[in-house]
Amino acid sequence: MSSNIQIELIQKSNIDNVDFNNLSFGSVFSDHMLVCDYVDGKWQSPTILPYAPIQLDPSAKIFHYGQSIFEGMKAYKDTDNNILLFRPLDNCKRLNKSAKRLVIPTFPEDVFMDGLKELLKIDSAWIPKNEGSSLYIRPFIFASGEGFHASPADEYKLIIATAPSGAYFSGKVKVLIEEKYARAANGGVGFAKAGGNYAAQFYPTQLAIEKGYNQVIWTDDNTHEYIEEAGAMNIFIRINDTLITSPTSDRILDGITRKSILQIAEDENIAIEVRKITVSEVVEAAKNRSLKEMFGAGTAAVISPIAGFGYQNTDYDLPELKSSYASLLKKRITDIQTNKAPDPYGWRVLV
Ligand code: PLP
Ligand code: COI
């Protein structure tokens, strides 16, 4: 296949209906989407179309067997109106890693990058410029092929849709450390961005929300003794001056924000430990006040400080620090993303 992209432009833009000063996360969509079909054993040429509902057969396998994967990325604009992406090839590689695990055909990297760049140029006006906002990009692939037989589909659709977005969390983030349910298991699909991983989180997360928390911090499925990650972000824990995060595994998403933070923290001479961390160590540190910070890291969440956590019916509050690792690292990473600072790592990609 080639990345010869057919383009059909919208007749009248919807942009005037959007209040760019009051953006929530992922709830209004830009004018266009990129669509690419896998039929007859190969990916066809992509098309850029007006954003609109799509038609699927009721027997499409996505509905029955959940063959569906996605990515989350962001586009930014700098003061000269350059369009910027952050480590986009890493997202494409992870999409293909997820694809392999779900027996979805992998998508060619060059077509992904060319198509994404073309889409962003067409919908360039949709990329917010106000601080804290960006254009959230959602590439996804699902089984559009038909039939009730429980086996991989023979047809798939890749779509890239975008949404001008503000912060993922409004206000302070309180988390509940999970004691019963599990997000992922050894040998499972936890490392993949499979839609089903998120569906499986909704029920325990709903229980946590009813108790006043925003997210669940998942623990290992076997013993529930080790901290793993949160629903939409990797977790960092600062005890005294050391920043700790759990190693990635079969069960944990290899976050692009996580690995960027580890690199930046190292260059800031922050002591880092990538190791398993037990819930009891965190509780003990909270009790003896050596627990200074916890924060989540992810594309949507950026760096979201955690105000407190619940465990075994007890709430533990974290101190409010004047100069936190979270604020330092958030500034470093967002300055690189938005071209307010040099990018010594080569992470920023100009569209
Ligand atoms: N963990 C989960 C379960 C996620 O959904 C995300 C979001 O993508 C992350 C971690 C963070 O990954 P990234 O930094 O690549 O967005
Ligand atoms: C992201 O951070 O991009 C994600 O995919 C998390 C999502 C569940 C909103």
Side-chain angles (χ1 to χ4, degrees), residues 23-318:
L23 290 170
S24 58
F25 177 83
S27 52
V28 291
F29 307 99
S30 317
D31 283 334
H32 298 89
M33 60 183 184
L34 180 132
V35 180
C36 190
D37 288 312
Y38 181 91
V39 289
D40 297 331
K42 56 181 191 297
W43 287 105
Q44 308 297 309
S45 294
T47 315
I48 292 177
L49 298 167
Y51 183 90
I54 50 171
Q55 244 190 359
L56 288 173
D57 191 273
S59 77
K61 292 201 180 189
I62 169 64
F63 297 133
H64 307 275
Y65 305 118
Q67 241 189 322
S68 164
I69 53 170
F70 72 96
E71 270 303 320
M73 321 165 66
K74 280 177 173 172
Y76 312 86
K77 256 189 192 171
D78 68 10
T79 47
D80 293 330
N81 282 327
N82 292 307
I83 302 173
L84 306 161
L85 287 163
F86 185 70
R87 309 187 78 170
L89 210 50
D90 292 42
N91 290 94
C92 185
K93 288 188 189 302
R94 193 171 62 188
L95 182 74
N96 282 334
K97 206 169 144 190
S98 303
K100 279 197 183 124
R101 181 61 180 82
L102 277 283
V103 200
I104 289 172
T106 56
F107 196 80
E109 285 176 6
D110 55 338
V111 185
F112 181 91
M113 287 307 303
D114 289 352
L116 174 59
K117 286 181 178 175
E118 193 61 39
L119 181 68
L120 293 175
K121 283 182 196 156
I122 291 172
D123 280 340
S124 158
W126 288 83
I127 305 172
K129 287 184 77 170
N130 24 2
E131 194 164 333
S133 297
S134 56
L135 188 75
Y136 186 73
I137 303 167
R138 174 53 63 86
F140 56 108
I141 308 180
F142 60 90
S144 51
E146 299 160 13
F148 291 147
H149 196 277
S151 51
D154 56 1
E155 295 187 355
Y156 296 84
K157 217 179 245 305
L158 169 130
I159 297 182
I160 305 182
T162 68
S165 294
Y168 190 72
F169 294 109
S170 51
K172 291 186 171 178
V173 183
K174 268 185 74 187
V175 294
L176 181 66
I177 299 184
E178 184 59 54
E179 294 166 53
K180 177 179 174 192
Y181 297 98
R183 171 187 179 273
N186 282 332
V189 298
F191 70 89
K193 271 185 91 74
N197 283 340
Y198 297 79
Q201 299 188 111
F202 289 164
Y203 178 66
T205 305
Q206 185 178 308
L207 298 179
I209 289 170
E210 282 165 12
K211 291 183 188 157
Y213 303 96
N214 307 88
Q215 288 245 304
V216 169
I217 291 200
W218 298 104
T219 47
D220 68 288
D221 60 304
N222 194 19
T223 63
H224 296 288
E225 280 174 18
Y226 294 93
I227 301 273
E228 302 232 299
E229 64 171 326
M233 47 196 194
N234 296 109
I235 291 292
F236 284 81
I237 294 165
R238 173 180 172 188
I239 296 181
N240 292 316
D241 285 338
T242 302
L243 195 56
I244 308 164
T245 193
S246 118
T248 55
S249 69
D250 259 14
R251 304 181 304 270
I252 300 181
L253 193 81
D254 187 3
I256 293 161
T257 318
R258 173 187 175 280
K259 64 182 179 188
S260 308
I261 287 171
L262 286 172
Q263 178 71 62
I264 295 172
E266 191 183 323
D267 295 345
E268 291 290 331
N269 293 318
I270 293 174
I272 304 163
E273 289 178 9
V274 178
R275 63 162 169 91
K276 289 176 142 200
I277 177 162
T278 59
V279 182
S280 53
E281 184 179 350
V282 176
V283 169
E284 195 46 45
K287 284 183 183 160
N288 69 26
R289 300 189 183 279
S290 58
L291 179 66
K292 303 291 185 219
E293 293 179 56
M294 286 170 72
F295 58 85
T299 300
V302 195
I303 291 183
S304 293
I306 290 169
F309 68 91
Y311 183 64
Q312 291 183 337
N313 297 320
T314 307
D315 277 337
Y316 299 87
D317 290 331
L318 277 103

Side-chain angles (χ1 to χ4, degrees), residues 12-20 22-23 28-29 31 126:
K12 187 182 176 318
S13 173
N14 289 315
I15 201 161
D16 292 341
N17 301 326
V18 180
D19 178 0
F20 277 77
N22 283 299
L23 290 170
V28 291
F29 307 99
D31 283 334
W126 288 83

